[in-house]
């Protein structure tokens, strides 16, 4: 390209945009690039790419404890501490250990083997937690489904996942025609057996499968490995400065992966999990009564649930005044909620972000007084990239597609190779697997900011072409 170019900053133009244009001009002035279409030229130089990789890399730790180590430790060290409270009944860590061993023994006796997927269609309860633990004890993977879902949907999930057994009620077993595949706990002799210590499953073996509907409404089975869950349990409490003696409210449906934070992660941290019954948290007043009666100190909510809570301002204040920590995630964090939450200055408030396909949450932002809402920084052994459609990094200040890599990435959707090859790819920046989230984001001031879903955003090449055209006109 002929011409003499000088790139200078202008008011309102980010330093990242100026640096990107400088890099582009350098390429255009290189004789070897003359035949390359402008849209195929990268915006990020080597030094800037290195800086972006540092921004997107979470803490690194190689010696993450296994699930078996985590839970054998907590069961042995805190036998008398309350593990679960459900409908006013307390279950100690020793009792939960015993119940999970008994469930494991039942499952083993009916033929469940390491690597098998076991369906669980029970309400959120002590039995549900003990069943998940029992499945993992014998090396299986759990698949939670909602007992209140239409029978046709449950049947669709069971057909797609083909679990070895399904733990459920007699009524559901009959409605689904499960026959010998069903294990009905009330039909057994109770929690008497002992499966023994946890089976030490390999990191690449499945911890659980969880079905999400996605944008199409067609259920997709996300496979999550032991290594992913272990990494989450190791990294998330550190990112949150999780304290001892927490009483964690559990209001989430069992088929959502954030239920696993409220149960598995909380238990691994020797906290008390307080599970809300189906009729205990339907209205703001009921939520407030549940939180105050059970002295909940940590909670996790979606913005939608918070909006429901704020429909009764008095109830919202009752909940929030007793909390030490609140995690908000699953949806974009609206500013009006932040304004309300900031009226509780002693509340440790966190914005959390991540798709099911990368194990619950992948980044955390502590929303201290005066700070802006962002997606924050990646968790342990997690990498986040903001890329263009050709998988090239975009400069800080430029929008792009959010990709997540690292130990938490799923091996793929169950029996969906067609879909896997489009959203689970090998990263060109280290060879690890990475997942295309479908979200748009931007690095700004050293943090990741959410811009919305892909279909609602202008792609980088469009913006780049406009910027180049403007600059070239100025030079004529």
């Amino acid at each position: 390209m002929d011409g003499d170019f000088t790139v200078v900053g202008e008011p309102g133009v980010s330093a990242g945009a100026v640096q990107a244009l400088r890099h582009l001009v350098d390429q255009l002035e290189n004789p070897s690039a003359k035949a390359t279409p402008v849209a195929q030229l990268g915006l990020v130089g080597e030094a800037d790419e290195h800086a972006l990789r540092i921004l997107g890399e979470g803490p690194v730790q190689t010696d993450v404890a296994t699930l078996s180590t985590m839970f054998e430790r907590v069961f042995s060290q805190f036998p008398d501490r309350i593990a679960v409270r459900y409908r006013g009944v307390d279950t100690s860590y020793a009792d939960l250990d015993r119940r999970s061993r008994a469930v494991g023994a039942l499952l083993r006796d009916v033929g469940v083997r390491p690597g098998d997927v076991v369906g669980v269609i029970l309400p959120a309860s002590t039995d549900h937690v003990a069943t998940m633990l029992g499945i993992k004890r014998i090396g299986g993977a759990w698949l939670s489904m909602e007992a209140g879902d239409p029978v046709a949907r449950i049947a669709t999930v069971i057909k797609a996942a083909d679990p070895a057994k399904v733990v459920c009620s007699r009524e559901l077993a009959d409605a689904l025609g499960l026959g010998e595949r069903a294990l009905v706990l009330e039909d057994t002799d109770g929690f008497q057996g002992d499966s023994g210590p946890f089976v030490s499953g390999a990191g690449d073996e499945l911890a659980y499968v969880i079905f999400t509907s996605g944008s199409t409404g067609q259920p997709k089975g996300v496979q999550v490995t032991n290594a992913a869950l272990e990494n989450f349990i190791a990294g998330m409490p550190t990112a949150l400065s999780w304290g001892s003696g927490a009483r964690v409210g559990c209001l989430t449906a069992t088929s959502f992966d954030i239920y696993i934070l409220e149960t598995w992660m909380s238990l691994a941290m020797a906290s008390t999990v307080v599970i809300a019954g189906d009729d205990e948290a339907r209205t703001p007043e009921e939520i407030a009564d549940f939180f105050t009666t059970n002295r909940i100190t940590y909670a996790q909510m979606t913005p939608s649930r918070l909006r429901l809570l704020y429909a009764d301002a008095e109830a919202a204040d009752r909940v929030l005044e007793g909390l030490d920590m609140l995690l908000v995630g699953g949806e974009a964090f609206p500013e009006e909620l932040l304004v309300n939450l900031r009226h509780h200055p002693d509340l440790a408030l966190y914005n959390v972000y991540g798709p099911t396909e990368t194990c619950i949450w992948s980044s955390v932002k502590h929303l201290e007084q005066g700070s802006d809402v962002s997606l924050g920084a990646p968790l342990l052994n997690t990498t986040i990239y903001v890329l263009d459609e050709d998988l090239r990094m975009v400069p800080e200040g430029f929008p792009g597609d959010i990709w997540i890599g690292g130990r938490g990435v799923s091996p793929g959707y169950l029996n969906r190779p067609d879909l896997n090859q489009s959203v689970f790819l090998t990263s060109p920046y280290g060879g690890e697997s990475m997942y295309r989230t479908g979200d748009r984001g931007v690095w700004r001031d050293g943090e990741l900011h959410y811009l919305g879903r892909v279909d609602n955003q202008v792609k980088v090449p469009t913006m780049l072409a406009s910027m180049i055209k403007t600059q070239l006109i100025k030079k004529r």
Side-chain angles (χ1 to χ4, degrees):
M1 180 178 291
D2 296 328
D4 198 15
F5 293 89
T6 301
V7 179
V8 295
E10 296 182 5
V13 178
S14 72
V18 171
Q19 186 62 30
L21 190 54
R22 285 197 181 108
H23 179 64
L24 182 63
V25 169
D26 287 344
Q27 293 176 87
L28 292 173
E29 291 179 338
N30 186 337
S32 65
K34 286 189 174 182
T36 304
V38 170
Q40 294 181 17
L41 297 175
L43 295 178
V44 178
E46 185 175 334
D48 290 328
E49 179 179 305
H50 178 71
L52 289 168
R53 292 181 70 166
I54 291 175
L55 279 183
E57 184 175 284
V60 176
Q61 180 181 331
T62 56
D63 57 339
V64 175
T66 64
L67 294 172
S68 58
T69 299
M70 292 177 187
F71 282 91
E72 295 293 3
R73 178 193 64 80
V74 75
F75 285 139
S76 64
Q77 290 186 5
F78 305 99
D80 298 326
R81 185 173 292 185
I82 301 304
V84 180
R85 166 174 281 198
Y86 176 61
R87 294 192 179 279
V89 177
D90 291 338
T91 300
S92 69
Y93 273 87
D95 285 340
L96 184 62
D97 183 25
R98 179 183 60 79
R99 288 163 76 96
S100 68
R101 286 172 179 264
V103 172
L106 284 170
L107 290 166
R108 186 177 286 163
D109 289 345
V110 296
V112 175
R113 296 294 177 259
D116 284 348
V117 174
V118 178
V120 184
I121 320 176
L122 299 174
S125 60
T126 306
D127 281 351
H128 189 278
V129 174
T131 300
M132 290 192 299
L133 287 166
I135 293 167
K136 201 68 249 169
R137 273 192 177 280
I138 62 171
W142 75 84
L143 163 62
S144 288
M145 294 167 276
E146 289 300 317
D149 277 352
V151 170
R153 175 181 164 82
I154 298 174
T156 297
V157 171
I158 290 175
K159 181 178 179 180
D162 192 25
K165 293 289 178 180
V166 178
V167 182
C168 62
S169 67
R170 170 53 55 197
E171 180 182 6
L172 262 178
D174 292 342
L176 291 163
L178 293 176
E180 293 297 317
R181 180 177 275 184
L183 175 61
V184 180
L185 294 181
E186 56 260 39
D187 289 351
T188 68
D189 293 332
F191 299 96
Q192 304 299 323
D194 188 347
S195 64
F198 277 86
V199 170
S200 296
D204 60 356
E205 294 177 356
L206 294 185
Y208 60 90
V209 178
I210 194 162
F211 273 74
T212 64
S213 294
S215 58
T216 64
Q218 182 65 31
K220 299 175 295 186
V222 181
Q223 303 175 94
V224 179
T225 64
N226 290 329
L229 182 54
E230 290 159 357
N231 190 74
F232 177 78
I233 294 176
M236 191 68 175
T238 301
L240 299 173
S241 300
W242 194 278
S244 62
R247 296 175 65 84
V248 183
C250 179
L251 280 68
T252 305
T254 62
S255 61
F256 287 89
D257 62 345
I258 61 176
Y259 173 80
I260 298 168
L261 180 149
E262 296 167 352
T263 53
W264 278 74
M265 193 192 88
S266 299
L267 292 170
M269 297 303 295
S271 303
T272 296
V273 180
V274 186
I275 301 175
D278 292 340
D279 57 352
E280 290 185 303
R282 296 167 300 185
T283 67
E285 185 177 1
E286 286 178 352
I287 294 172
D289 289 343
F290 175 77
F291 272 63
T292 55
T293 300
N294 293 289
R295 294 176 287 112
I296 304 298
T297 58
Y298 288 6
Q300 173 181 240
M301 296 188 192
T302 62
S304 294
R305 187 181 288 274
L306 276 170
R307 283 197 177 99
L308 166 66
L309 183 60
Y310 268 106
D312 183 336
E314 182 179 347
D317 284 340
R318 287 175 60 202
V319 169
L320 296 167
E321 285 169 2
L323 286 180
D324 296 327
M325 181 189 296
L326 176 64
L327 313 185
V328 181
E331 304 160 13
F333 201 132
E335 285 292 335
E336 72 271 15
L337 280 181
L338 181 60
V339 171
N340 290 333
L341 292 168
R342 287 259 165 86
H343 292 154
H344 301 272
D346 295 330
L347 176 66
L349 180 63
Y350 292 88
N351 187 32
V352 287
Y353 167 77
T356 299
E357 289 84 350
T358 60
C359 195
I360 311 175
W361 304 124
S362 298
S363 70
V364 173
K365 168 63 176 180
H366 186 191
L367 294 173
E368 299 173 282
Q369 291 290 331
S371 64
D372 295 329
V373 174
S374 79
L375 302 185
L379 291 181
L380 182 72
N381 297 319
T382 299
T383 51
I384 297 180
Y385 307 100
V386 180
L387 308 177
D388 66 17
E389 63 265 38
D390 296 315
L391 304 186
R392 297 172 302 194
M393 290 188 185
V394 299
E396 188 169 3
F398 276 51
D401 298 335
I402 299 176
W403 290 76
I404 300 177
R407 199 172 295 183
V409 176
S410 166
Y413 299 115
L414 189 67
N415 302 321
R416 292 294 303 274
D418 56 326
L419 188 55
N420 290 339
Q421 65 185 4
S422 65
V423 295
F424 294 99
L425 301 181
T426 300
S427 168
Y429 305 101
E432 65 184 1
S433 176
M434 65 178 187
Y435 171 71
R436 184 178 68 188
T437 65
D439 294 327
R440 297 279 281 174
V442 60
W443 290 112
R444 187 186 304 132
D445 300 324
E447 292 187 331
L448 184 64
H449 292 256
Y450 178 73
L451 298 178
R453 295 295 291 171
V454 166
D455 292 343
N456 298 327
Q457 299 294 321
V458 176
K459 295 290 188 177
V460 168
T462 304
M463 182 179 69
L464 173 60
S466 176
M467 184 176 71
I468 292 169
K469 181 179 179 181
T470 301
Q471 292 296 325
L472 292 180
I473 290 172
K474 285 182 179 180
K475 297 302 176 183
R476 289 182 176 176

